[in-house]
Amino acid sequence: MADQTQRLQVIKSRVEKAKAQRASAEGQLKALEQQKEQIVTEMTALGVTPETIAARISELDVQINEDLNLAESIIPADIV
């Protein structure tokens, strides 16, 4: 009987630990969802959405390279 009582205590301890972990995970999930909402709001203010951000980054990358090429063509290489 003592063995069964001990086993039951171990199971009870595990259940309590699992409940605590679940509560922690739910709290983290809620915080992350709020953070996601804030980021999406900021993105919208900048004129992009999660669906369009990759394309916009690509456009900006192309523009940066074009601007760098222009700057390199304007400044003679022999100045350096």
Side-chain angles (χ1 to χ4, degrees), residues 45-76:
L46 295 172
V48 294
T49 66
E51 294 79 20
T52 63
I53 189 71
R56 183 65 180 134
I57 290 170
S58 294
E59 291 170 7
L60 291 172
D61 190 46
V62 167
Q63 184 63 50
I64 289 168
N65 284 322
E66 289 174 359
D67 291 346
L68 288 171
N69 289 337
L70 177 61
E72 288 171 343
S73 71
I74 293 172
I75 301 171

Side-chain angles (χ1 to χ4, degrees), residues 11-36:
I11 291 170
K12 183 179 177 183
S13 174
R14 289 179 182 170
V15 167
E16 292 302 319
K17 185 176 179 180
K19 284 181 182 179
Q21 288 176 340
R22 179 180 179 170
S24 175
E26 287 173 343
Q28 289 176 348
L29 177 62
K30 184 176 180 179
L32 290 171
E33 287 172 343
Q34 290 173 344
Q35 186 178 11
K36 178 184 175 186

